[in-house]
Amino acid sequence: MNAPVIGNTPWTREEFEQQLRDKGRGYHIYHPFHVMMYEGKLSREQLQCWVANRFYYQISIPQKDAAIMSNCPDKEIRKGWIQRIIDHDGDANSVGGIEAWIQLGQAVDLSREDVTSLKFVTPGVRFAVDAYVNFAKQRPWQEAVCSSLTELFAPHIHQQRISSWPSMYPWVKEEGLVYFKKRLTEARRDVEQGLAVTLDYFSQTRELQEKALDILQFKLDVLWVIADAIMLASTDIKVENNVDYLRQPR
Ligand SMILES: O=C(O)c1cc(C(=O)O)c2c(n1)C(=O)C(=O)c1cc(C(=O)O)[nH]c1-2
């Protein structure tokens, strides 16, 4: 007689949400580069490199969200989702996150052109960010929504920067923290919508629930690889004869 297949019963909605939240153990807050950032161990050049590279993520987020909307036939979801594009691009009443990130660049002594020209963006960061945008273009919109759920863990890392930078990097101008402060409330609101969609769409079977966890892992990997690439680009790794093999000649 066959035993019941207990392993395949779906988790309850609460258990499934907890499984998603548990993925926070792989968040890029634990990446050595972000740990060093929090502990005040980054050089001025390393912090500048991070800001210049992360700008490519910032400008790609609204394109990613527009891709989700273009694939979504549900008017009510689009009505909520469009706020994310406004948060980053701004509107008649507010400047938006992209402009706030340029202000962060200026706060770490980069020029507007240094940031917006993308001249410091390293290939690994481009590949990782483009993989995220392409995922949103090519996959069903509910899967792309699920991939945004790393935002569950983002308020913690934004708060770390708000708390630690003034003492660890006193040379950074105060206006630089505006972006992170803005995201504290925006990310919490985003997560409510993203989590509701994910719990509704993926809850029917255990296979779907596990697929959601895999999608979240893909996005955790995107963020991890971005940090790897920035660390490599901003850290002097000298090998034989002082040749820096790891920098791409341009
Ligand atoms: O600074 C960070 O560590 C961090 C992480 C993430 C994230 O977890 O994806 C986002 C942001 N910031 C952020 O500022 C942001 O606007 C954002 C949007 C999204 C998304 O996937 O839609 N993630 C993030």
Side-chain angles (χ1 to χ4, degrees), residues 1 41 43 53 66 90 92 99 115 126 128 150 164 166 173 176 211:
M1 205 173 81
K41 291 182 180 153
S43 67
N53 272 276
E99 190 58 33
V115 179
R126 273 184 196 274
T150 47
S164 70
K173 296 180 200 76
K211 182 170 187 178

Side-chain angles (χ1 to χ4, degrees), residues 148-179:
S148 74
L149 284 183
T150 47
E151 279 200 281
L152 279 167
F153 322 117
H156 186 193
I157 201 166
H158 291 313
Q159 186 57 57
Q160 268 197 349
R161 296 170 191 142
I162 295 164
S163 321
S164 70
W165 283 25
S167 56
M168 298 299 181
Y169 307 101
W171 55 272
V172 178
K173 296 180 200 76
E174 214 185 305
E175 313 84 82
L177 297 179
V178 167
Y179 180 82

Side-chain angles (χ1 to χ4, degrees), residues 107-178:
V108 299
D109 291 335
L110 292 168
S111 70
R112 173 174 287 269
E113 200 267 337
D114 285 339
V115 179
T116 59
S117 65
L118 306 179
K119 64 186 173 190
F120 297 119
V121 177
T122 190
V125 168
R126 273 184 196 274
F127 269 75
V129 173
D130 290 350
Y132 184 36
V133 177
N134 287 332
F135 183 85
K137 285 181 181 165
Q138 291 160 5
R139 306 300 303 170
W141 64 272
Q142 296 94 336
E143 292 189 17
V145 167
C146 175
S147 69
S148 74
L149 284 183
T150 47
E151 279 200 281
L152 279 167
F153 322 117
H156 186 193
I157 201 166
H158 291 313
Q159 186 57 57
Q160 268 197 349
R161 296 170 191 142
I162 295 164
S163 321
S164 70
W165 283 25
S167 56
M168 298 299 181
Y169 307 101
W171 55 272
V172 178
K173 296 180 200 76
E174 214 185 305
E175 313 84 82
L177 297 179
V178 167

Side-chain angles (χ1 to χ4, degrees), residues 27-28 34 50 54 57-58 61 64-65 81 84 88 101 132 147-154 157-158 161 179-180 183 190 219 223:
Y27 196 48
H28 66 176
H34 284 133
W50 178 76
R54 261 290 302 264
Y57 188 62
Q58 302 310 128
I61 291 284
K64 180 272 297 181
D65 287 319
W81 208 262
R84 296 173 182 241
H88 287 276
W101 197 273
Y132 184 36
S147 69
S148 74
L149 284 183
T150 47
E151 279 200 281
L152 279 167
F153 322 117
I157 201 166
H158 291 313
R161 296 170 191 142
Y179 180 82
F180 306 129
R183 284 310 296 170
D190 286 357
K219 173 66 175 310
L223 295 175

